[in-house]
Every structure is written in structure tokens, then in C-alpha cells.
Amino acid sequence: MQAPILFTVLPCYNEEAVLHSSIRQMTDLYTSLISGRSIHENSRLLFVNDGSRDSTWSIIEDASSTNPFVCGVKLAKNVGHQNAILAGMETAKEYADVIITIDADLQDDISKIPEMLQKYAEGSDIVYGVKNERKADSRFKRWTAMLFYKLMKLLGVNTVYNHADFRLMSRRAVEVLSRYRERNLFLRGIIPQLGYKTDVIYEDLRPREAGESKYTLSKMMNLAVDGITSFTIKPVRLIFTLGMVFVLLAIIMLIYVLCMVFQGKTVAGWASLMLSMWFIGGCILIGLGIVGEYVGKIYLEVKDRPRYNVEKEIIQ
Ligand code: UDP
Ligand code: MG
């Protein structure tokens, strides 16, 4: 079998501090993979500039003029990690047999890439990189991530535990993925739904070499909310169940009140009335919020806007 053409997709958002080092490490890896005949010489590194405000794009441009592996896609504005990865994969699938996505800070262990390629050669269409431990992450990040995966599992969303977006996909898997037209993109939830033969490799996460995490708390929250509401309607069902419980309670209350009426003890309790008003009001608001979340999603989904705009492409 001929060596496959590998495109590695690296989303970059304000990554000027690590980019030089990442390009160097990936170039070294590619050189050795090509000389070992594991990948075809037309393999490329595809950097996706996700609307960075620093010199990220000019670094990519400069590198592409001297380094034959370096290609770039410049998105017209910041669309977030998940959409940036998708933009890269959809560009890469035109040229590649196999696509690996990895964060531009190379916190994931790139020395596992040959192992991923091996699994691909053995017939897997999707290979997940799974983190052994999250030693490099802060305690807060570890804790919130764990909570998130547990919650997803509880809600019945099928995700790979401790897998972020370090992943190998064959071209046909990416082609199927791009038929998923949803705008609220949570790749980790969609990809297990594609089917195909999958495998995992285990890796240790490294600390970030330079720069800061680009995943702000609000970006993390958005990802978590997208992950949950895009894949499950359990929260709505929960509200429904709660509603049933309330109706049942109301019936019991009715019996109680009737008994009180017949006994002539009908002194209205102001405190309990006030309390229940607040409580029920709160429940209604929660319900409205959750329903609103879904209505909002439908609204965005029916608009079917493009998920990103490519401004410029360097493919060599
Ligand atoms: N990233 C992106 N768009 C964004 C935020 C992040 O493309 O809006 C990229 C970022 O450049 C990096 C990857 O997503 O390559 C993961 O981000 P980061 O390493 O900051 O997150 P962490 O590893 O701390 O979870
Ligand atoms: Mg990182």
C-alpha cells in the first residue's frame, strides 16, 4: 500500500508565542515520517488562523514561504476552536487521505502520531487520543473537565472520556462529518455517532510551552452548554417530570385543604403562600430558560448560515 497523505490540522488563536516551536517540532516529525515511508511526501501541516489579533497569520505566511510543509487557512474572524478545526478538516479532505487534528500549542503528545497512523493502517477510520492524566492542567480545569464528562454521561451523551480534539480521521469519516449541517458544533459528541471502526491511543498531556490558555472560562462554558443541549433533550424531560411531581403534590394539597375546610380550620397561612409563590415562580423560570435554550438552537439551526468564511488559503 502506498503511504497515505497526512494533513495535520492545527487551530491557532493568538498563538504567536508557541507557533515557531510547534512548526519546528511538526516539521521534524514529518521529515522522519516521510523518510520512514509512513506518510506520503505530499503530506502537509494546515494551520487554521482563527481570527487571531496578533502576528499568528504572518508567522504562518512566512513559514509557508520557506517550509514546504506549512499551509494555512485564514478565517475572517474568530469562530472558536470547534469551527476552526472543522474549517481545517474540510479544507484538508480535498487533498488528504488521513487527517489529524491537534491543538497548535502541541500539548498533546505528537510522538504518538506514528501509533495513530499504525491504527489507521490496520483499518480504523477514527483514532482518538485519550489523556492518561491531566497533570499539566490546573486543578480547576481538571475538576471542571471531570464534572463535564460525568454530566454528559449522566445525560446519555456518548463521548470518549478524557478525549479532547487530538484525533485521527480518515477522509471518508471527515466527508460524512461534513454532512452534519448543525451550527452548534460539538465534535466530540458528533464523531462517535459517525460509526466506522474506531480505536484509541493513550497519551500524557504536556504543559503549555508558551502563551496562555485561549480557552477562557466563558469559552469553556459555551462548549459545555453546546455539548449538552446539542445532544440531549433530557433537561426538557426533567422539567416535564418535575411538572408531574408538582401536579401530584397539588392533588395531595387539595385533599389536605379540603380536609381543613371541612374541619373549619381555614386560617390562611401567609408565609406558606409566599414561599410557594416564589418556589413555583423559580421553577417556571428554570423551565422557560431550558426551553428557551432549545428554541434558540432551532433558531440558529434553521438559518443555516455558513459556519466559517475562508479569507485566504495557502496550499502548496
Ligand atoms: N483556539 C482556537 N479558537 C479559539 C480558542 C482556542 O482556535 O477561539 C485554539 C488554540 O489556539 C489552541 C486550541 O484551540 O490551539 C486549544 O486552546 P488552548 O490550548 O488555549 O486550550 P487548553 O489547552 O488550555 O484547553
Ligand atoms: Mg492547550
Side-chain angles (χ1 to χ4, degrees):
M1 200 178 83
Q2 216 193 356
I5 299 177
L6 167 69
F7 266 57
T8 303
V9 171
L10 303 100
C12 315
Y13 176 57
N14 297 341
E15 294 290 7
E16 60 182 8
V18 290
L19 215 50
H20 286 295
S21 147
S22 298
I23 292 173
R24 195 168 348 99
Q25 290 178 52
M26 286 307 293
T27 307
D28 291 347
L29 178 75
Y30 264 47
T31 314
S32 80
L33 283 174
I34 288 171
S35 62
R37 293 182 172 278
S38 304
I39 58 173
H40 194 274
E41 60 191 39
N42 288 347
S43 297
R44 294 287 179 268
L45 301 168
L46 184 63
F47 291 90
V48 182
N49 177 28
D50 182 16
S52 300
R53 285 186 298 265
D54 63 1
S55 62
T56 298
W57 180 247
S58 57
I59 295 174
I60 297 168
E61 256 179 339
D62 288 349
S64 72
S65 59
T66 54
N67 184 332
F69 294 130
V70 176
C71 298
V73 170
K74 185 184 185 198
L75 302 182
K77 68 184 267 286
N78 181 256
V79 290
H81 182 223
Q82 301 286 295
N83 282 312
I85 291 179
L86 191 78
M89 289 199 292
E90 290 194 333
T91 309
K93 81 176 191 322
E94 307 300 325
Y95 312 93
D97 298 317
V98 52
I99 296 166
I100 289 178
T101 53
I102 187 169
D103 290 349
D105 55 8
L106 299 190
Q107 282 186 275
D108 293 288
D109 189 356
I110 59 167
S111 68
K112 299 285 175 180
I113 288 179
E115 206 179 309
M116 286 179 138
L117 289 165
Q118 182 58 36
K119 306 256 182 197
Y120 167 74
E122 287 164 11
S124 293
D125 277 280
I126 301 167
V127 184
Y128 298 107
V130 173
K131 297 169 201 157
N132 280 329
E133 273 177 81
R134 295 175 153 256
K135 265 186 255 157
D137 284 338
S138 68
R139 184 175 300 173
F140 176 72
K141 190 135 193 165
R142 265 196 313 238
W143 195 77
T144 47
M146 194 188 71
L147 204 73
F148 174 64
Y149 286 112
K150 290 261 155 74
L151 187 67
M152 292 291 275
K153 192 158 181 212
L154 206 74
L155 290 171
V157 185
N158 183 12
T159 53
V160 180
Y161 188 71
N162 256 348
H163 157 68
D165 287 294
F166 180 35
R167 187 188 315 113
L168 174 146
M169 288 178 82
S170 67
R171 178 173 41 203
R172 64 172 184 170
V174 175
E175 246 147 33
V176 175
L177 176 70
S178 53
R179 297 217 309 265
Y180 281 65
R181 297 301 314 158
E182 61 204 77
R183 301 208 68 262
N184 297 289
L185 197 63
F186 184 67
L187 293 172
R188 285 165 231 179
I190 300 176
I191 291 169
Q193 295 190 353
L194 299 182
Y196 289 135
K197 185 168 183 287
T198 63
D199 213 329
V200 294
I201 55 115
Y202 294 93
E203 54 143 359
D204 287 313
L205 212 63
R206 295 185 292 183
R208 198 178 235 282
E209 230 170 74
E212 290 166 356
S213 174
K214 306 299 178 301
Y215 252 99
T216 53
L217 191 62
S218 73
K219 279 191 194 238
M220 252 158 64
M221 293 283 287
N222 278 337
L223 185 72
V225 171
D226 272 353
I228 291 165
T229 52
S230 302
F231 284 92
T232 166
I233 54 162
K234 279 208 178 158
V236 179
R237 298 223 173 109
L238 207 69
I239 292 297
F240 181 74
T241 318
L242 209 67
M244 297 294 275
V245 171
F246 270 62
V247 171
L248 215 70
L249 280 179
I251 293 169
I252 295 168
M253 280 304 282
L254 187 74
I255 295 166
Y256 174 71
V257 169
L258 281 180
C259 287
M260 288 293 142
V261 170
F262 285 128
Q263 288 172 19
K265 296 183 198 160
T266 46
V267 186
W270 179 82
S272 61
L273 205 67
M274 282 307 275
L275 269 177
S276 54
M277 258 176 64
W278 280 102
F279 185 59
I280 293 170
C283 290
I284 291 170
L285 283 182
I286 295 170
L288 273 180
I290 294 181
V291 172
E293 176 72 32
Y294 284 91
V295 174
K297 285 230 145 73
I298 295 167
Y299 175 63
L300 288 176
E301 227 46 86
V302 294
K303 278 201 242 184
D304 198 27
R305 287 179 181 158
R307 283 173 287 192
Y308 52 81
N309 288 330
V310 173
E311 193 175 300
K312 220 189 274 177
E313 260 184 36
I314 313 171
I315 305 289
Q316 41 184 4

